[in-house]
Amino acid sequence: MLEHGGRLRAAAAHYDIPLDRWLDLSTGINPEGWPVPALPASVWQRLPETGDGLESAATAYYGNANLLPLAGSQAGIQCLPALLPKAAVACIAPIYAEHPQAWHQAGHKLRFLQNATLPRALAAITPYVLLCNPNNPTADRHPVEVVIDAARQLKKRGGWLIVDEAFIDATPEQSLTPLAGTDEAPNLVVFRSLGKFFGLAGARVGFVFAAPELLNRMQESMGPWTIPGPSREVARQALLDTTWQNATRSRLQTQADRLQALLSPLGEVKATSLFATLNSAQAGELHEHLASRAILTRRFDQQPLLRFGLPGDATEWQRLADALNEWQPA
């Protein structure tokens, strides 16, 4: 099992600090997520089924009916590689580690291209190109027109472009989701999740957008009832709540700018609306400094990166600022 952010209980045990004292900034999940209301008893008492409005709500929100609901995008990430012919995969790295692990376990050959542009990835002449946009953890973005062109070039040689857009919701104009699986881009596969922007990671709801034939194969592979009824209902309501979505996009951008400004004196910082990543030779030492003060961040072993999620309120913002001010780099 790969390590991820959010392992707060493990951190509490490792640093011997009680769980309730921690400020968890390790996940990139919206700390002010969509407010879940009371749910009708029927969603607990009946088996989940299609036709409950989830698919239509998702079609309206994402702008594409070529979709399959998933138990979090993770379920699709693990399933997809086994459904495609084994070949070489150009992986723009660093990247969310579950992607390359799934392709490796399915027997594909990985080519890691560190901090590569899409044109460079295409030059690798592999049947598959895999990326996150915005990237997790670097926050780098690939321009929409470049990604569209990459899908077209791969289509000409029978290839596939796989894009994880887990952090795109605050900037939907930059999303490729509406094109995935359409006549314009039948070889484009896009993963989306309600875990980050909506702050509903525990509901385990995501979607994959792709050509209908591939979606049918994925559905057959996963079997019935992949998402519990309560999660389907929460997701349906959240996707329809445009008032909350618009207000949240504005709020997140303001907070992201604040976080980037707070970290910028410490080194190079790149950010999405939900996290900021510090590139510093002393990332490991800073991670330990913050952890000793019960503030959990996400460090990465392959590069000197430290990822910070958004604090949730004024007290948490002040606590992070104080800890950073106390930092005395060697």
Side-chain angles (χ1 to χ4, degrees), residues 180-256:
T182 66
D183 291 342
E184 185 175 353
N187 61 325
L188 173 63
V189 179
V190 176
F191 289 105
R192 297 293 294 265
S193 170
L194 269 71
K196 305 300 190 297
F197 174 79
F198 288 94
L200 296 173
R204 307 308 306 139
V205 180
F207 298 90
V208 59
F209 294 82
E213 186 275 335
L214 181 57
L215 294 178
N216 289 337
R217 293 174 61 202
M218 293 184 74
Q219 188 168 34
E220 291 175 2
S221 176
M222 293 179 180
W225 311 310
T226 56
I227 304 175
S231 294
R232 289 182 65 94
E233 177 60 15
V234 167
R236 182 190 71 82
Q237 294 189 35
L239 290 169
L240 292 174
D241 192 348
T242 56
T243 300
W244 181 89
Q245 294 159 17
N246 292 333
T248 298
R249 290 189 180 103
S250 176
R251 176 180 56 79
L252 288 177
Q253 188 56 59
T254 298
Q255 294 184 340

Side-chain angles (χ1 to χ4, degrees), residues 149-209:
D149 182 66
R152 289 171 179 162
Q153 292 191 48
L154 284 164
K155 179 184 176 184
K156 291 177 182 178
R157 63 191 196 216
W160 293 76
L161 179 63
I162 299 93
V163 182
D164 186 336
E165 292 189 338
F167 288 97
I168 202 76
D169 292 77
T171 53
E173 70 280 359
Q174 298 177 7
S175 173
L176 274 296
T177 300
L179 293 177
T182 66
D183 291 342
E184 185 175 353
N187 61 325
L188 173 63
V189 179
V190 176
F191 289 105
R192 297 293 294 265
S193 170
L194 269 71
K196 305 300 190 297
F197 174 79
F198 288 94
L200 296 173
R204 307 308 306 139
V205 180
F207 298 90
V208 59
F209 294 82

Side-chain angles (χ1 to χ4, degrees), residues 23 262 266 286 289-295 308 316-328:
L23 169 57
L262 190 62
L266 304 176
L286 179 55
H289 165 79
L290 294 171
S292 70
R293 287 152 177 79
I295 298 175
F308 294 73
E316 293 183 358
W317 278 101
Q318 189 60 54
R319 186 173 167 188
L320 175 61
D322 290 344
L324 293 174
N325 287 334
E326 293 168 2
W327 166 240
Q328 298 291 334

Side-chain angles (χ1 to χ4, degrees), residues 8-117:
L8 197 58
R9 294 183 185 278
H14 179 78
Y15 293 99
D16 195 23
I17 300 174
L19 189 66
D20 60 3
R21 289 181 52 192
W22 282 85
L23 169 57
D24 185 5
L25 303 179
S26 67
T27 66
I29 295 170
N30 183 355
E32 299 180 55
W34 185 75
V36 179
L39 299 177
S42 60
V43 302
W44 299 97
Q45 296 167 341
R46 295 177 56 84
L47 285 171
E49 55 185 334
T50 59
D52 59 358
L54 175 60
E55 284 82 358
S56 60
T59 296
Y61 177 80
Y62 294 109
N64 191 343
N66 294 323
L67 61 87
L68 177 66
L70 305 167
S73 55
Q74 179 62 37
I77 290 169
Q78 290 182 225
C79 175
L80 176 65
L83 301 179
L84 295 174
K86 293 180 178 60
V89 185
C91 183
I92 296 180
I95 192 172
Y96 176 59
E98 293 289 348
H99 283 291
Q101 169 137 314
W103 288 85
H104 172 73
Q105 290 180 339
H108 298 267
K109 182 178 180 181
L110 289 161
R111 295 188 61 182
F112 289 98
L113 306 176
Q114 292 294 325
N115 301 307
T117 62

